[in-house]
């Protein structure tokens, strides 16, 4: 049996979250604590800013404006959450480095507003921000 090496195996629709290849996007696996989510079942969207609380529980938490969570990484994929996940947490893959569009970040409050200290924390971890500029089509 011959295989078609040019067969379509997947499809990708760019969403503008990643804006540059330097620094190179890097990921890691972790557990996300979803015990504070009110509406379950739900989906935590790609691009959600995750962080760690001051107490060391080893889990990532969804970042909130003005909360006690230190920003740490960015969620890679849309992640479904069920009622059972509230007790155990959800395994996730998160970006720990890369260049991202700050307008595409999400959190429980809707929009992410980072203080200068939060930006410095993310920069030290290898997460940089650069807004994407929409390309206008040129007329011929």
């Amino acid at each position: 049996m011959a295989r078609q090496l040019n067969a379509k195996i997947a499809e990708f629709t760019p969403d503008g979250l990643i804006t540059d290849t330097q620094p190179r996007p890097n990921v890691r696996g972790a557990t996300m604590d979803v015990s504070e989510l009110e509406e379950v079942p739900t989906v935590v969207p790609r691009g959600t800013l995750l962080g760690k609380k001051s107490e060391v529980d080893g889990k990532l938490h969804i970042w909130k404006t003005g909360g006690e969570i230190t920003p740490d990484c960015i969620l890679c994929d849309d992640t479904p959450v069920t009622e059972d996940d509230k007790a155990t947490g959800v395994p996730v893959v998160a970006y720990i480095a890369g260049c991202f569009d700050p307008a595409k970040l999400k959190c429980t409050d809707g929009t992410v507003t980072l203080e200068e200290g939060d930006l410095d924390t993310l920069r030290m971890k290898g997460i940089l921000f650069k807004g994407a500029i929409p390309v206008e089509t040129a007329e011929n």
Side-chain angles (χ1 to χ4, degrees), residues 9-47:
I9 59 170
E11 196 168 313
F12 173 70
T13 305
D15 61 1
L17 178 63
I18 298 175
T19 57
D20 202 346
T21 57
Q22 294 300 323
R24 184 175 61 82
N26 196 4
V27 298
R28 74 157 185 235
T31 301
M32 179 174 63
D33 183 345
V34 292
S35 60
E36 296 177 5
L37 287 179
E38 296 174 10
E39 295 181 30
V40 174
T42 189
V43 173
V44 180
R46 166 181 160 83

mmCIF file of all heavy atoms in Angstrom, residues 9-47:
data_model
loop_
_atom_site.group_PDB
_atom_site.id
_atom_site.type_symbol
_atom_site.label_atom_id
_atom_site.label_comp_id
_atom_site.label_asym_id
_atom_site.label_seq_id
_atom_site.Cartn_x
_atom_site.Cartn_y
_atom_site.Cartn_z
ATOM 1 N N ILE A 9 -3.305 16.353 6.908
ATOM 2 C CA ILE A 9 -3.450 15.653 8.182
ATOM 3 C C ILE A 9 -4.038 16.531 9.280
ATOM 4 O O ILE A 9 -4.523 16.029 10.276
ATOM 5 C CB ILE A 9 -2.108 15.072 8.665
ATOM 6 C CG1 ILE A 9 -1.079 16.173 8.840
ATOM 7 C CG2 ILE A 9 -1.624 13.989 7.726
ATOM 8 C CD1 ILE A 9 0.189 15.727 9.528
ATOM 9 N N ALA A 10 -3.972 17.838 9.124
ATOM 10 C CA ALA A 10 -4.500 18.745 10.134
ATOM 11 C C ALA A 10 -4.724 20.115 9.518
ATOM 12 O O ALA A 10 -4.296 20.381 8.397
ATOM 13 C CB ALA A 10 -3.551 18.854 11.313
ATOM 14 N N GLU A 11 -5.396 20.964 10.279
ATOM 15 C CA GLU A 11 -5.654 22.318 9.816
ATOM 16 C C GLU A 11 -5.359 23.285 10.946
ATOM 17 O O GLU A 11 -5.641 23.002 12.110
ATOM 18 C CB GLU A 11 -7.124 22.443 9.405
ATOM 19 C CG GLU A 11 -7.402 23.660 8.579
ATOM 20 C CD GLU A 11 -8.790 23.605 7.952
ATOM 21 O OE1 GLU A 11 -9.141 22.561 7.392
ATOM 22 O OE2 GLU A 11 -9.493 24.609 8.065
ATOM 23 N N PHE A 12 -4.770 24.417 10.607
ATOM 24 C CA PHE A 12 -4.406 25.423 11.597
ATOM 25 C C PHE A 12 -4.935 26.781 11.158
ATOM 26 O O PHE A 12 -4.712 27.203 10.028
ATOM 27 C CB PHE A 12 -2.880 25.486 11.751
ATOM 28 C CG PHE A 12 -2.417 26.610 12.633
ATOM 29 C CD1 PHE A 12 -2.662 26.570 13.994
ATOM 30 C CD2 PHE A 12 -1.754 27.694 12.114
ATOM 31 C CE1 PHE A 12 -2.237 27.602 14.809
ATOM 32 C CE2 PHE A 12 -1.325 28.729 12.918
ATOM 33 C CZ PHE A 12 -1.572 28.685 14.276
ATOM 34 N N THR A 13 -5.641 27.442 12.062
ATOM 35 C CA THR A 13 -6.127 28.784 11.809
ATOM 36 C C THR A 13 -5.414 29.719 12.774
ATOM 37 O O THR A 13 -5.623 29.627 13.988
ATOM 38 C CB THR A 13 -7.652 28.876 12.030
ATOM 39 O OG1 THR A 13 -8.288 27.890 11.235
ATOM 40 C CG2 THR A 13 -8.171 30.241 11.684
ATOM 41 N N PRO A 14 -4.541 30.597 12.279
ATOM 42 C CA PRO A 14 -3.814 31.487 13.185
ATOM 43 C C PRO A 14 -4.768 32.416 13.938
ATOM 44 O O PRO A 14 -5.706 32.947 13.359
ATOM 45 C CB PRO A 14 -2.899 32.287 12.266
ATOM 46 C CG PRO A 14 -3.103 31.790 10.888
ATOM 47 C CD PRO A 14 -4.213 30.801 10.890
ATOM 48 N N ASP A 15 -4.520 32.567 15.243
ATOM 49 C CA ASP A 15 -5.375 33.429 16.055
ATOM 50 C C ASP A 15 -4.661 34.696 16.523
ATOM 51 O O ASP A 15 -5.245 35.526 17.196
ATOM 52 C CB ASP A 15 -5.916 32.664 17.257
ATOM 53 C CG ASP A 15 -4.818 32.143 18.182
ATOM 54 O OD1 ASP A 15 -3.630 32.382 17.911
ATOM 55 O OD2 ASP A 15 -5.170 31.486 19.178
ATOM 56 N N GLY A 16 -3.379 34.848 16.179
ATOM 57 C CA GLY A 16 -2.651 36.062 16.518
ATOM 58 C C GLY A 16 -2.092 36.099 17.914
ATOM 59 O O GLY A 16 -1.544 37.119 18.330
ATOM 60 N N LEU A 17 -2.203 35.017 18.686
ATOM 61 C CA LEU A 17 -1.663 35.013 20.043
ATOM 62 C C LEU A 17 -0.139 35.125 20.015
ATOM 63 O O LEU A 17 0.446 35.928 20.721
ATOM 64 C CB LEU A 17 -2.089 33.742 20.791
ATOM 65 C CG LEU A 17 -1.552 33.590 22.210
ATOM 66 C CD1 LEU A 17 -2.068 34.693 23.112
ATOM 67 C CD2 LEU A 17 -1.920 32.229 22.780
ATOM 68 N N ILE A 18 0.504 34.331 19.172
ATOM 69 C CA ILE A 18 1.961 34.379 19.044
ATOM 70 C C ILE A 18 2.306 35.366 17.940
ATOM 71 O O ILE A 18 1.797 35.264 16.832
ATOM 72 C CB ILE A 18 2.530 32.981 18.731
ATOM 73 C CG1 ILE A 18 2.213 32.028 19.887
ATOM 74 C CG2 ILE A 18 4.025 33.050 18.468
ATOM 75 C CD1 ILE A 18 2.616 30.600 19.645
ATOM 76 N N THR A 19 3.177 36.329 18.256
ATOM 77 C CA THR A 19 3.479 37.395 17.292
ATOM 78 C C THR A 19 4.888 37.357 16.731
ATOM 79 O O THR A 19 5.192 38.109 15.813
ATOM 80 C CB THR A 19 3.241 38.780 17.919
ATOM 81 O OG1 THR A 19 4.049 38.895 19.093
ATOM 82 C CG2 THR A 19 1.787 38.987 18.260
ATOM 83 N N ASP A 20 5.755 36.516 17.277
ATOM 84 C CA ASP A 20 7.121 36.446 16.769
ATOM 85 C C ASP A 20 7.711 35.093 17.138
ATOM 86 O O ASP A 20 7.210 34.412 18.051
ATOM 87 C CB ASP A 20 7.970 37.571 17.372
ATOM 88 C CG ASP A 20 9.198 37.902 16.537
ATOM 89 O OD1 ASP A 20 9.557 37.112 15.645
ATOM 90 O OD2 ASP A 20 9.804 38.959 16.790
ATOM 91 N N THR A 21 8.763 34.716 16.444
ATOM 92 C CA THR A 21 9.418 33.436 16.726
ATOM 93 C C THR A 21 10.616 33.595 17.659
ATOM 94 O O THR A 21 11.246 32.603 18.009
ATOM 95 C CB THR A 21 9.901 32.782 15.414
ATOM 96 O OG1 THR A 21 10.781 33.683 14.749
ATOM 97 C CG2 THR A 21 8.731 32.421 14.528
ATOM 98 N N GLN A 22 10.930 34.814 18.064
ATOM 99 C CA GLN A 22 12.020 35.067 19.008
ATOM 100 C C GLN A 22 11.481 35.847 20.192
ATOM 101 O O GLN A 22 10.892 36.902 19.993
ATOM 102 C CB GLN A 22 13.152 35.843 18.335
ATOM 103 C CG GLN A 22 13.854 35.080 17.257
ATOM 104 C CD GLN A 22 14.491 33.799 17.765
ATOM 105 O OE1 GLN A 22 15.007 33.747 18.881
ATOM 106 N NE2 GLN A 22 14.444 32.759 16.975
ATOM 107 N N PRO A 23 11.592 35.423 21.420
ATOM 108 C CA PRO A 23 12.147 34.144 21.807
ATOM 109 C C PRO A 23 11.251 32.997 21.345
ATOM 110 O O PRO A 23 10.044 33.170 21.186
ATOM 111 C CB PRO A 23 12.222 34.212 23.324
ATOM 112 C CG PRO A 23 11.174 35.196 23.711
ATOM 113 C CD PRO A 23 11.107 36.179 22.575
ATOM 114 N N ARG A 24 11.871 31.852 21.162
ATOM 115 C CA ARG A 24 11.163 30.675 20.660
ATOM 116 C C ARG A 24 10.094 30.244 21.667
ATOM 117 O O ARG A 24 10.367 30.138 22.866
ATOM 118 C CB ARG A 24 12.171 29.549 20.456
ATOM 119 C CG ARG A 24 11.607 28.299 19.851
ATOM 120 C CD ARG A 24 12.692 27.286 19.573
ATOM 121 N NE ARG A 24 13.416 26.845 20.757
ATOM 122 C CZ ARG A 24 12.984 25.898 21.585
ATOM 123 N NH1 ARG A 24 11.846 25.301 21.378
ATOM 124 N NH2 ARG A 24 13.716 25.567 22.630
ATOM 125 N N PRO A 25 8.852 29.996 21.197
ATOM 126 C CA PRO A 25 7.817 29.507 22.110
ATOM 127 C C PRO A 25 8.244 28.171 22.724
ATOM 128 O O PRO A 25 8.759 27.296 22.037
ATOM 129 C CB PRO A 25 6.591 29.328 21.217
ATOM 130 C CG PRO A 25 6.834 30.244 20.067
ATOM 131 C CD PRO A 25 8.322 30.238 19.859
ATOM 132 N N ASN A 26 8.046 28.049 24.022
ATOM 133 C CA ASN A 26 8.398 26.846 24.757
ATOM 134 C C ASN A 26 7.231 26.502 25.676
ATOM 135 O O ASN A 26 6.576 27.400 26.196
ATOM 136 C CB ASN A 26 9.681 27.087 25.558
ATOM 137 C CG ASN A 26 10.315 25.807 26.037
ATOM 138 O OD1 ASN A 26 9.857 24.712 25.714
ATOM 139 N ND2 ASN A 26 11.371 25.943 26.815
ATOM 140 N N VAL A 27 6.978 25.214 25.875
ATOM 141 C CA VAL A 27 5.817 24.795 26.659
ATOM 142 C C VAL A 27 6.219 23.828 27.756
ATOM 143 O O VAL A 27 7.295 23.246 27.735
ATOM 144 C CB VAL A 27 4.745 24.141 25.764
ATOM 145 C CG1 VAL A 27 4.220 25.101 24.729
ATOM 146 C CG2 VAL A 27 5.272 22.883 25.107
ATOM 147 N N ARG A 28 5.299 23.650 28.712
ATOM 148 C CA ARG A 28 5.456 22.635 29.754
ATOM 149 C C ARG A 28 4.069 22.182 30.185
ATOM 150 O O ARG A 28 3.070 22.883 29.999
ATOM 151 C CB ARG A 28 6.227 23.166 30.946
ATOM 152 C CG ARG A 28 5.412 24.107 31.791
ATOM 153 C CD ARG A 28 5.916 24.207 33.228
ATOM 154 N NE ARG A 28 4.972 25.055 33.948
ATOM 155 C CZ ARG A 28 5.300 26.132 34.608
ATOM 156 N NH1 ARG A 28 6.541 26.509 34.696
ATOM 157 N NH2 ARG A 28 4.379 26.846 35.226
ATOM 158 N N GLY A 29 4.014 21.018 30.775
ATOM 159 C CA GLY A 29 2.763 20.499 31.312
ATOM 160 C C GLY A 29 2.628 20.876 32.775
ATOM 161 O O GLY A 29 3.618 21.032 33.482
ATOM 162 N N ALA A 30 1.392 21.030 33.233
ATOM 163 C CA ALA A 30 1.132 21.387 34.625
ATOM 164 C C ALA A 30 -0.322 21.018 34.957
ATOM 165 O O ALA A 30 -1.058 20.524 34.111
ATOM 166 C CB ALA A 30 1.376 22.871 34.851
ATOM 167 N N THR A 31 -0.711 21.308 36.176
ATOM 168 C CA THR A 31 -2.096 21.120 36.610
ATOM 169 C C THR A 31 -2.685 22.478 36.926
ATOM 170 O O THR A 31 -2.082 23.268 37.655
ATOM 171 C CB THR A 31 -2.164 20.207 37.851
ATOM 172 O OG1 THR A 31 -1.577 18.955 37.539
ATOM 173 C CG2 THR A 31 -3.605 19.988 38.282
ATOM 174 N N MET A 32 -3.870 22.750 36.358
ATOM 175 C CA MET A 32 -4.544 24.028 36.585
ATOM 176 C C MET A 32 -5.654 23.834 37.617
ATOM 177 O O MET A 32 -6.514 22.967 37.462
ATOM 178 C CB MET A 32 -5.132 24.549 35.267
ATOM 179 C CG MET A 32 -5.874 25.852 35.398
ATOM 180 S SD MET A 32 -6.418 26.526 33.809
ATOM 181 C CE MET A 32 -7.540 25.263 33.223
ATOM 182 N N ASP A 33 -5.637 24.644 38.672
ATOM 183 C CA ASP A 33 -6.667 24.634 39.706
ATOM 184 C C ASP A 33 -7.884 25.395 39.176
ATOM 185 O O ASP A 33 -7.769 26.560 38.804
ATOM 186 C CB ASP A 33 -6.141 25.298 40.968
ATOM 187 C CG ASP A 33 -7.131 25.262 42.118
ATOM 188 O OD1 ASP A 33 -8.323 24.982 41.890
ATOM 189 O OD2 ASP A 33 -6.713 25.518 43.259
ATOM 190 N N VAL A 34 -9.029 24.735 39.133
ATOM 191 C CA VAL A 34 -10.255 25.376 38.638
ATOM 192 C C VAL A 34 -11.334 25.422 39.717
ATOM 193 O O VAL A 34 -12.510 25.619 39.425
ATOM 194 C CB VAL A 34 -10.783 24.659 37.364
ATOM 195 C CG1 VAL A 34 -9.842 24.869 36.202
ATOM 196 C CG2 VAL A 34 -11.013 23.190 37.618
ATOM 197 N N SER A 35 -10.935 25.266 40.978
ATOM 198 C CA SER A 35 -11.905 25.217 42.070
ATOM 199 C C SER A 35 -12.663 26.527 42.251
ATOM 200 O O SER A 35 -13.762 26.537 42.797
ATOM 201 C CB SER A 35 -11.209 24.833 43.379
ATOM 202 O OG SER A 35 -10.214 25.789 43.704
ATOM 203 N N GLU A 36 -12.101 27.646 41.787
ATOM 204 C CA GLU A 36 -12.750 28.949 41.962
ATOM 205 C C GLU A 36 -13.689 29.311 40.812
ATOM 206 O O GLU A 36 -14.340 30.350 40.857
ATOM 207 C CB GLU A 36 -11.692 30.025 42.136
ATOM 208 C CG GLU A 36 -10.866 29.832 43.395
ATOM 209 C CD GLU A 36 -9.760 30.849 43.546
ATOM 210 O OE1 GLU A 36 -9.678 31.784 42.726
ATOM 211 O OE2 GLU A 36 -8.964 30.701 44.477
ATOM 212 N N LEU A 37 -13.742 28.474 39.767
ATOM 213 C CA LEU A 37 -14.654 28.768 38.654
ATOM 214 C C LEU A 37 -16.095 28.575 39.102
ATOM 215 O O LEU A 37 -16.423 27.586 39.746
ATOM 216 C CB LEU A 37 -14.370 27.848 37.461
ATOM 217 C CG LEU A 37 -13.115 28.130 36.659
ATOM 218 C CD1 LEU A 37 -12.984 27.114 35.535
ATOM 219 C CD2 LEU A 37 -13.147 29.527 36.082
ATOM 220 N N GLU A 38 -16.953 29.527 38.756
ATOM 221 C CA GLU A 38 -18.357 29.449 39.158
ATOM 222 C C GLU A 38 -19.185 28.639 38.176
ATOM 223 O O GLU A 38 -20.013 27.832 38.585
ATOM 224 C CB GLU A 38 -18.926 30.858 39.316
ATOM 225 C CG GLU A 38 -18.254 31.622 40.435
ATOM 226 C CD GLU A 38 -18.707 33.067 40.495
ATOM 227 O OE1 GLU A 38 -19.676 33.429 39.805
ATOM 228 O OE2 GLU A 38 -18.061 33.833 41.222
ATOM 229 N N GLU A 39 -18.994 28.880 36.888
ATOM 230 C CA GLU A 39 -19.778 28.186 35.870
ATOM 231 C C GLU A 39 -19.031 26.959 35.374
ATOM 232 O O GLU A 39 -18.014 27.060 34.728
ATOM 233 C CB GLU A 39 -20.056 29.117 34.690
ATOM 234 C CG GLU A 39 -20.926 30.292 35.048
ATOM 235 C CD GLU A 39 -21.194 31.165 33.843
ATOM 236 O OE1 GLU A 39 -21.226 30.643 32.717
ATOM 237 O OE2 GLU A 39 -21.377 32.365 34.035
ATOM 238 N N VAL A 40 -19.545 25.772 35.703
ATOM 239 C CA VAL A 40 -18.943 24.514 35.259
ATOM 240 C C VAL A 40 -20.092 23.639 34.788
ATOM 241 O O VAL A 40 -21.121 23.582 35.447
ATOM 242 C CB VAL A 40 -18.173 23.851 36.426
ATOM 243 C CG1 VAL A 40 -17.671 22.485 36.027
ATOM 244 C CG2 VAL A 40 -17.026 24.735 36.868
ATOM 245 N N PRO A 41 -20.028 22.927 33.685
ATOM 246 C CA PRO A 41 -18.891 22.789 32.781
ATOM 247 C C PRO A 41 -18.691 24.040 31.929
ATOM 248 O O PRO A 41 -19.620 24.768 31.624
ATOM 249 C CB PRO A 41 -19.267 21.596 31.908
ATOM 250 C CG PRO A 41 -20.739 21.578 31.901
ATOM 251 C CD PRO A 41 -21.167 22.138 33.233
ATOM 252 N N THR A 42 -17.441 24.239 31.571
ATOM 253 C CA THR A 42 -17.060 25.382 30.760
ATOM 254 C C THR A 42 -15.777 25.046 30.009
ATOM 255 O O THR A 42 -15.240 23.961 30.156
ATOM 256 C CB THR A 42 -16.868 26.644 31.631
ATOM 257 O OG1 THR A 42 -16.702 27.771 30.794
ATOM 258 C CG2 THR A 42 -15.681 26.515 32.548
ATOM 259 N N VAL A 43 -15.304 25.989 29.214
ATOM 260 C CA VAL A 43 -14.029 25.831 28.511
ATOM 261 C C VAL A 43 -13.166 27.040 28.859
ATOM 262 O O VAL A 43 -13.593 28.177 28.694
ATOM 263 C CB VAL A 43 -14.242 25.741 26.981
ATOM 264 C CG1 VAL A 43 -12.908 25.744 26.265
ATOM 265 C CG2 VAL A 43 -15.043 24.505 26.619
ATOM 266 N N VAL A 44 -11.963 26.777 29.359
ATOM 267 C CA VAL A 44 -11.003 27.854 29.614
ATOM 268 C C VAL A 44 -10.277 28.085 28.294
ATOM 269 O O VAL A 44 -9.663 27.171 27.753
ATOM 270 C CB VAL A 44 -10.013 27.477 30.737
ATOM 271 C CG1 VAL A 44 -9.031 28.607 30.979
ATOM 272 C CG2 VAL A 44 -10.768 27.138 32.021
ATOM 273 N N PRO A 45 -10.349 29.302 27.730
ATOM 274 C CA PRO A 45 -9.838 29.528 26.374
ATOM 275 C C PRO A 45 -8.319 29.616 26.276
ATOM 276 O O PRO A 45 -7.630 30.002 27.229
ATOM 277 C CB PRO A 45 -10.478 30.857 25.971
ATOM 278 C CG PRO A 45 -10.729 31.557 27.255
ATOM 279 C CD PRO A 45 -11.001 30.494 28.279
ATOM 280 N N ARG A 46 -7.819 29.280 25.089
ATOM 281 C CA ARG A 46 -6.407 29.440 24.756
ATOM 282 C C ARG A 46 -6.033 30.909 24.961
ATOM 283 O O ARG A 46 -6.810 31.809 24.664
ATOM 284 C CB ARG A 46 -6.220 29.045 23.285
ATOM 285 C CG ARG A 46 -4.895 29.447 22.676
ATOM 286 C CD ARG A 46 -4.867 29.007 21.200
ATOM 287 N NE ARG A 46 -3.885 29.714 20.425
ATOM 288 C CZ ARG A 46 -2.585 29.395 20.365
ATOM 289 N NH1 ARG A 46 -2.137 28.369 21.043
ATOM 290 N NH2 ARG A 46 -1.762 30.093 19.616
ATOM 291 N N GLY A 47 -4.853 31.157 25.479
ATOM 292 C CA GLY A 47 -4.414 32.529 25.711
ATOM 293 C C GLY A 47 -4.730 33.037 27.108
ATOM 294 O O GLY A 47 -4.432 34.186 27.426
#
